[in-house]
Amino acid sequence: STNFITIWQKSVFGKTLTEIKSDDAMVPYFVEHILPVIHEIIGYNLTAGDWAIVTTPMRRHKDRNFASMIAEQLAEFLHIPFYFDCARCRSKQRVGEEFNPHNVPAEKNVIVFDDFVTTGSTILAMKNMLHSLGKNPVFFCGINNKL
C-alpha cells in the first residue's frame, strides 16, 4: 500500500470538488496550508537536497490545471523547480493504470502533489514510474476524497 499525507477531508469546505477546482482563490489557500506540512516532513532547505516538484498526470483541464497551479506556487516558495506534465496516462482507465515518463525532473528527490486522492491508484502508478527511473518520490495531497 502507498502512504500519503492529505491536508483536509473533503467536507471541510462545504463545496464540491468541481467548485473548489474552478475557484482561483483556492490555489493560494491550498499553498498556504500545504507549505508548513512540506516543511515539517522534509525540512526547510530543499534546494540543498536536489529536490523538484511535479503533479500527477492531467486528465482534463490541460490549460488551467488546478494541481499544476498549486504546484507552481509551491515551487516558488520552496525555491525548487516545477516540472509541468511529468507523466502521461497510457490509457483512460483508472484501475491498474500505468504512466509514461514525459518531462521528468533531473533531481533525485521529487515532491508529487495531487489535489485530490480517492483510491490512491494514481499515486501508486506515479510511485512505480518514478521508482523505475531511480527517483525518490514524496507524496502530498490536498483533499482525501475517500473520507
Side-chain angles (χ1 to χ4, degrees), residues 118-130:
T118 303
T119 65
S121 66
T122 300
I123 287 174
L124 185 60
M126 198 73 182
K127 181 186 95 163
N128 291 340
M129 184 197 83
L130 289 168

Side-chain angles (χ1 to χ4, degrees), residues 2 9 12 19 23 29 37 48 52 58 64 70 75 102 120 123 129 135-136:
T2 301
Q9 296 178 13
V12 170
E19 287 171 328
D23 181 0
Y29 187 88
V37 179
M58 296 178 286
R64 188 204 167 281
I70 294 167
H102 177 63
I123 287 174
M129 184 197 83
K135 304 297 178 186
N136 173 35

Side-chain angles (χ1 to χ4, degrees), residues 86-138:
C86 139
R88 299 208 167 147
C89 298
R90 286 189 193 168
S91 69
K92 296 290 179 209
Q93 70 190 57
R94 293 185 183 217
V95 179
E97 58 194 338
E98 291 184 37
F99 299 151
N100 289 325
H102 177 63
N103 183 27
V104 177
E107 293 77 7
K108 178 149 181 72
N109 303 302
V110 181
I111 293 171
V112 181
F113 174 73
D114 202 349
D115 45 10
F116 301 100
V117 167
T118 303
T119 65
S121 66
T122 300
I123 287 174
L124 185 60
M126 198 73 182
K127 181 186 95 163
N128 291 340
M129 184 197 83
L130 289 168
H131 277 174
S132 76
L133 299 168
K135 304 297 178 186
N136 173 35
V138 181

Side-chain angles (χ1 to χ4, degrees), residues 72-91:
E72 238 174 338
Q73 285 191 21
L74 286 170
E76 284 179 38
F77 282 105
L78 296 167
H79 308 291
I80 61 173
F82 166 59
Y83 289 78
F84 183 75
D85 202 18
C86 139
R88 299 208 167 147
C89 298
R90 286 189 193 168
S91 69

Side-chain angles (χ1 to χ4, degrees), residues 43-57:
Y44 283 82
N45 189 7
L46 273 63
T47 49
D50 192 32
W51 287 89
I53 188 167
V54 301
T55 61
T56 55

Side-chain angles (χ1 to χ4, degrees), residues 8 11 49 60 76:
W8 303 285
S11 57
R60 303 180 297 276
E76 284 179 38

